[in-house]
Amino acid sequence: MDNTISKNLQEIQERIQKAAEECGRDPQSIRLVAVSKTKPAEMLRQAAAAGATIFGENYIQEAREKIAELESLDVEWHFIGHLQSNKAKYAVPLFSLIHSVDSFKLAGEIDKQAAKAGKIQDILVQVNISGEETKSGTADEEAATLVKEISALENVRVKGLMTMPPFFDDPDRARPFFRRLRELAQAIQNKGFKNVSMEELSMGMTGDFEAAIEEGATLVRVGTAIFGARNYN
Ligand SMILES: *Cc1c(COP(=O)(O)O)cnc(C)c1O
């Protein structure tokens, strides 16, 4: 059997551990989200057998099919893509954490669906630190207000923040964006909104997860380095 995924996963886990140790962090405080968008269920099965415990998916329809097929796996599913409000009804029953909430409208719809499902939905607020027009996320200056508004919703819990910096060849150039997300999380934490914690910082991908760990990431989202280049149709 081809064990590329197993090898890749092991290598990423080792790099996470090394990056954590080099900056004096407990490696256990960083969780790997294996980003499996466009990858067939069989590859996820291999990753789970090799120790992956969290899968990150971007597209609702694709995720629904794979999650149904992989029902027997003891893994967590995270939604990391752009979520339209009218898809919240599908996302809520499937995902333990939604990383990409960037509007009160979406949070309100998630709240409504979570109430129906009898669940408290954990979410992260996605922040567009760079201000690039092509990126999802609430503006840096508006993040605290959005978190405050969401904190009034009964069936949603804000667990932290997520960001995607611009793409750079040199991961050091992404570092200021990661640092800014951590500072923003600290500032929001200091405001003491009820039901809000800033325990999670979702940042860092294949090209820059070590820099993100050094800047405080607790969830790194790695796709290509585990599963290879994406299969778009
Ligand atoms: C696809 C994706 C990733 C993974 O990117 P890689 O560079 O393949 O590791 C991480 N986060 C989000 C939000 C994504 O859409």
Side-chain angles (χ1 to χ4, degrees):
M1 189 184 109
D2 179 8
N3 60 356
T4 310
I5 290 178
S6 170
K7 277 191 193 144
N8 288 349
L9 202 55
Q10 194 179 339
E11 190 190 311
I12 297 300
Q13 295 286 15
E14 284 167 11
R15 284 171 61 188
I16 290 172
Q17 174 144 0
K18 184 153 173 280
E21 282 164 0
E22 277 175 7
C23 63
R25 294 185 58 198
D26 176 3
Q28 305 288 343
S29 67
I30 299 138
R31 291 187 295 158
L32 172 62
V33 179
V35 175
S36 46
K37 60 174 175 250
T38 81
K39 297 298 173 184
E42 185 47 37
M43 288 179 83
L44 280 67
R45 215 184 276 284
Q46 288 174 25
T53 57
I54 307 174
F55 290 108
E57 287 282 339
N58 291 59
Y59 310 107
I60 292 289
Q61 184 55 36
E62 179 192 337
R64 285 177 84 186
E65 290 168 14
K66 284 195 274 186
I67 293 171
E69 195 173 336
L70 298 170
E71 205 177 24
S72 60
L73 294 184
D74 182 19
V75 295
E76 258 184 70
W77 297 91
H78 289 190
F79 191 78
I80 64 171
H82 179 67
L83 186 59
Q84 288 168 291
S85 301
N86 63 5
K87 299 277 174 67
K89 61 175 174 289
Y90 303 118
V92 165
L94 297 175
F95 296 99
S96 59
L97 184 65
I98 299 173
H99 290 225
S100 45
V101 176
D102 61 357
S103 72
F104 186 68
K105 180 178 177 223
L106 174 58
E109 192 55 33
I110 292 171
D111 180 63
K112 197 170 113 191
Q113 299 301 332
K116 269 194 201 166
K119 149 177 206 196
I120 305 287
Q121 179 67 57
D122 288 345
I123 65 160
L124 305 179
V125 167
Q126 182 174 355
V127 188
N128 182 2
I129 300 280
S130 64
E132 287 173 291
E133 277 176 28
T134 53
K135 288 257 157 73
S136 306
T138 187
D140 186 327
E141 315 77 66
E142 286 157 19
T145 306
L146 178 58
V147 170
K148 184 181 180 194
E149 287 171 350
I150 295 174
S151 72
L153 299 173
E154 289 190 356
N155 307 290
V156 170
R157 288 286 179 276
V158 180
K159 293 289 184 183
L161 304 179
M162 181 271 229
T163 199
M164 251 176 115
F167 176 80
F168 299 110
D169 286 326
D170 175 3
D172 273 337
R173 293 186 61 197
R175 209 178 270 279
F177 300 91
F178 297 144
R179 190 169 305 159
R180 176 61 199 150
L181 194 74
R182 186 188 65 211
E183 289 167 0
L184 185 57
Q186 186 64 59
I188 291 172
Q189 180 80 62
N190 292 346
K191 290 177 190 286
F193 300 134
K194 74 173 166 67
N195 295 330
V196 168
S197 87
M198 285 286 131
E199 67 203 68
E200 303 289 1
L201 285 178
S202 169
M203 56 190 197
M205 315 192 340
T206 289
D208 55 18
F209 69 88
E210 283 134 325
I213 288 169
E214 286 163 27
E215 299 302 334
T218 64
L219 289 163
V220 292
R221 309 179 309 265
V222 178
T224 310
I226 298 171
F227 296 108
R230 238 93 60 196
N231 320 352
Y232 289 109
N233 7 309

